[in-house]
């Protein structure tokens, strides 16, 4: 326990000192996190649970240090992921596992200090993509790992507050859109990103029946809106959202046809708020069968 406390305090204090010295939040976090992990792993031969604890601790500590000096939590999140990938590169730790662990710790650490989880989500995904390019990791895989872990952690945070149904959907909407923004802005596959977002939000709600269908529809809508915000491919996003809904439905024994229809309806509703052209693009993308499921389109607006 003392060793873990020492790592946490070391990273927090190191980040604070570095930011005060240079003013560069991202660099301060990257250097502190990577240096601490390299030293901790080599110095203590950390493996297994102790290594997971170390990665988790540095992510939370970085967020705490940056917020203590009023820094941007999005930049802190980005730096934490890049720093973790650098610090664990030579240790045999799978890079995707490192991303997932860091993403989870960053979101939970942001929640601990009542920070902006949406900003942290976007920074986390940006960090995963930047770090992936640096260490030679597949960018699409890194994006999916970060987005999925961010949404899963967000779901756990919100579930812990007792938020369900409409309250959960409202609270997670900013994170959903931020996750999609990050994927599109760095050239990631918005279809895969959308699929992961819907799947993880559905898992995070721990809901079933009508509540699950409402969550699918609202999340799909936020995915399309988020994609449109950054001029991404809304047709791919809509299809990915339906695929995520189908996968998630199978996991919680929800009717896949109803889940696909809910996702499609949410996507169409969002498209209707964008433009008639967007409606046509989404309708074309969702007409027919997706992942073996016949998609039933329900027009949620007047023509």
């Amino acid at each position: 326990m003392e060793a873990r406390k020492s790592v946490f305090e070391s990273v927090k204090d190191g980040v604070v000192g570095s930011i005060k010295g240079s003013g560069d939040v991202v660099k301060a976090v990257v250097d502190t996190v990577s240096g601490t992990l390299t030293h901790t792993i080599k110095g203590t031969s950390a493996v297994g649970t102790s290594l997971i604890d170390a990665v988790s601790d540095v992510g939370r500590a970085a967020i705490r240090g940056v917020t203590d000096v009023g820094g941007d939590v999005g930049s802190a999140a980005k730096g934490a992921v890049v720093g973790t990938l650098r610090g664990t590169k030579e240790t045999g730790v799978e890079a995707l596992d490192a991303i997932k662990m860091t993403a989870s710790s960053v979101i939970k650490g942001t929640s601990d200090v009542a920070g902006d989880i949406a900003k942290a989500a976007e920074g986390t995904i940006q960090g995963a993509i930047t770090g992936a390019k640096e260490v030679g990791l597949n960018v699409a895989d890194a994006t999916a790992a970060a987005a999925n872990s961010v949404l899963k952690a967000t779901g756990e945070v919100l579930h812990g507050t007792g938020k369900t149904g409409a309250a959960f959907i409202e609270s997670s909407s900013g994170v959903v859109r931020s996750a999609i923004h990050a994927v599109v802005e760095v050239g990631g596959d918005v279809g895969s990103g959308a699929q992961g977002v819907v799947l993880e939000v559905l898992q995070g709600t721990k809901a079933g029946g009508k509540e699950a269908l409402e969550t699918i529809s609202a999340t799909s809508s936020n995915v399309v809106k988020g994609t449109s915000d950054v001029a991404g491919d809304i047709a791919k996003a809509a299809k990915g959202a339906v695929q995520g809904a189908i996968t998630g439905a199978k996991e919680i024994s929800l009717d896949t046809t109803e889940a696909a229809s809910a996702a499609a309806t949410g996507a169409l509703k969002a498209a209707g708020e964008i433009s008639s052209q967007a409606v046509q693009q989404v309708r074309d993308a969702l007409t027919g069968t997706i992942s073996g499921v016949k998609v039933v389109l329900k027009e949620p607006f007047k023509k």
Side-chain angles (χ1 to χ4, degrees):
M1 184 59 72
E2 283 300 317
R4 289 193 64 181
K5 182 178 180 181
S6 176
V7 169
F8 184 95
E9 293 298 330
S10 175
V11 171
K12 179 174 71 70
D13 293 344
V15 166
V16 169
S18 185
I19 291 174
K20 288 182 177 179
S22 68
D24 188 330
V25 173
V26 175
K27 187 176 187 303
V29 174
V30 169
D31 291 347
T32 304
V33 168
S34 61
T36 300
L37 279 175
T38 299
H39 173 75
T40 299
I41 294 167
K42 289 182 178 179
T44 64
S45 299
V47 294
T49 302
S50 62
L51 181 54
I52 293 172
D53 288 343
V55 172
S56 177
D57 287 343
V58 297
R60 286 177 181 258
I63 293 295
R64 180 65 63 86
V66 170
T67 56
D68 279 356
V69 294
D72 176 58
V73 72
S75 297
K78 179 178 181 179
V81 179
V82 175
T84 298
L85 284 171
R86 284 187 187 177
T88 58
K89 183 178 180 181
E90 307 299 332
T91 66
V93 176
E94 288 291 336
L96 292 179
D97 289 339
I99 289 173
K100 291 174 184 177
M101 287 187 285
T102 309
S104 180
S105 68
V106 161
I107 294 301
K108 292 175 182 177
T110 301
S111 173
D112 290 343
V113 296
D116 189 331
I117 292 179
K119 277 190 176 181
E122 192 161 354
T124 298
I125 297 170
Q126 290 173 339
I129 294 168
T130 299
K133 292 176 180 177
E134 182 179 308
V135 301
L137 182 65
N138 181 280
V139 172
D141 289 343
T143 303
N148 292 358
S149 194
V150 160
L151 268 298
K152 184 175 182 179
T154 300
E156 291 172 357
V157 167
L158 295 178
H159 186 69
T161 65
K163 290 184 177 180
T164 58
F168 179 95
I169 293 168
E170 181 180 356
S171 297
S172 65
S173 63
V175 177
V176 170
R177 292 176 78 156
S178 290
I180 292 298
H181 289 176
V183 171
V184 174
E185 288 175 348
V186 295
D189 179 5
V190 72
S192 296
Q195 183 174 351
V197 162
V198 174
L199 175 60
E200 295 301 339
V201 169
L202 187 57
Q203 291 175 335
T205 64
K206 303 187 185 301
K210 183 180 178 181
E211 186 177 315
L213 294 175
E214 290 173 348
T215 298
I216 289 170
S217 181
T219 304
S220 180
S221 179
N222 281 319
V223 162
V224 170
K225 289 176 183 177
T227 304
S228 175
D229 290 344
V230 287
D233 189 329
I234 60 172
K236 279 189 176 181
K239 186 173 181 179
V242 172
Q243 290 171 324
I246 293 169
T247 300
K250 293 176 180 177
E251 292 186 4
I252 61 174
S253 300
L254 188 67
D255 184 275
T256 53
T257 301
E258 290 185 357
S261 178
T265 299
L268 275 172
K269 180 179 179 181
E273 296 173 10
I274 298 168
S275 69
S276 57
Q277 182 182 11
V279 171
Q280 191 60 52
Q281 290 174 345
V282 169
R283 187 188 292 117
D284 289 346
L286 302 183
T287 297
T289 300
I290 296 177
S291 299
V293 177
K294 175 68 175 177
V295 180
V296 180
L297 296 172
K298 298 177 182 178
E299 300 287 343
F301 49 84
K302 295 182 178 179
K303 293 182 180 180

